[in-house]
Amino acid sequence: MTPTRAGLLALLVTLVFDQASKLGLYFGTDLVLTQPWRLAPFADFVVVWNRGVSYGLFQQESGFGRWFLVALSLAAALGLGIWMTRAGSRLLAVALGLIVGGALGNAIDRAAYGAVLDFVHLHAGGWSWYVFNVADAAIVAGVIGLILDSLSPAGRATSGDAARSGPAPGDPAPRP
């Protein structure tokens, strides 16, 4: 599978799973009325409408703020999507696909409802993590993938790339 196809697959799986989980929990259950749902001693399902960006920062109550964040998400998704189509490694393409799929999933929520539906709450003892959703988890996994790709020499210039580009400036001319 080419890197671009792997990235597109990651994007589509992320987007479908994100939207299906949100729509299923919000419209297909009584979670809103019976929350929290205890999944484990450290995890609950709850309903939180996030009108801001990551971790609830920069809360937007106005129509302008809502549509500005939608436009920003779409612009980021477009730019990262173009990068994904040019990725030289599957890891990079999948990481970008996860980020783009997550950004589009949250942009759909914001456009349709004015806020992003977050529902996973992790906690332990007195410690509580932010409430997040599948799109947020995919974005974090994608960023981790970007970091891993940047640390890996594999997937960079291959010998075929070097041969096509010719000698670097200052290199001695090849002998016949």
Side-chain angles (χ1 to χ4, degrees), residues 85-111:
T85 64
R86 298 176 181 172
S89 74
R90 262 183 269 166
L91 174 59
L92 178 59
V94 167
L96 291 166
L98 290 170
I99 295 169
V100 172
L104 291 175
N106 284 341
I108 289 169
D109 282 12
R110 196 173 308 284

Side-chain angles (χ1 to χ4, degrees), residues 67-81 100 103-105 107-108 111:
W67 293 108
F68 176 75
L69 290 178
V70 169
L72 186 63
S73 295
L74 294 176
L78 178 64
L80 293 171
V100 172
L104 291 175
I108 289 169

Side-chain angles (χ1 to χ4, degrees), residues 13-173:
V13 168
T14 298
L15 184 58
V16 167
F17 188 47
D18 174 64
Q19 289 298 296
S21 64
K22 291 172 182 173
L23 293 171
L25 282 171
Y26 191 71
F27 293 110
T29 71
D30 62 351
L31 176 61
V32 173
L33 301 173
T34 60
Q35 65 180 326
W37 288 1
R38 178 66 40 114
L39 302 175
F42 56 86
D44 298 330
F45 275 176
V46 298
V47 172
V48 174
W49 288 103
N50 181 359
R51 297 188 188 292
V53 294
S54 298
Y55 308 116
L57 298 172
F58 310 116
Q59 292 291 314
Q60 301 297 313
E61 298 297 331
S62 70
F64 173 78
R66 166 189 180 182
W67 293 108
F68 176 75
L69 290 178
V70 169
L72 186 63
S73 295
L74 294 176
L78 178 64
L80 293 171
I82 291 168
W83 183 12
M84 180 184 72
T85 64
R86 298 176 181 172
S89 74
R90 262 183 269 166
L91 174 59
L92 178 59
V94 167
L96 291 166
L98 290 170
I99 295 169
V100 172
L104 291 175
N106 284 341
I108 289 169
D109 282 12
R110 196 173 308 284
Y113 314 115
V116 174
L117 175 61
D118 291 332
F119 58 88
V120 179
H121 180 220
L122 300 179
H123 52 83
W127 177 80
S128 176
W129 188 246
Y130 299 96
V131 181
F132 61 96
N133 59 40
V134 172
D136 299 333
I139 291 168
V140 169
V143 169
I144 291 169
L146 289 178
I147 293 168
L148 291 174
D149 182 73
S150 73
L151 298 174
S152 170
R156 300 288 176 272
T158 62
S159 59
D161 292 338
R164 282 190 293 276
S165 65
D171 284 351

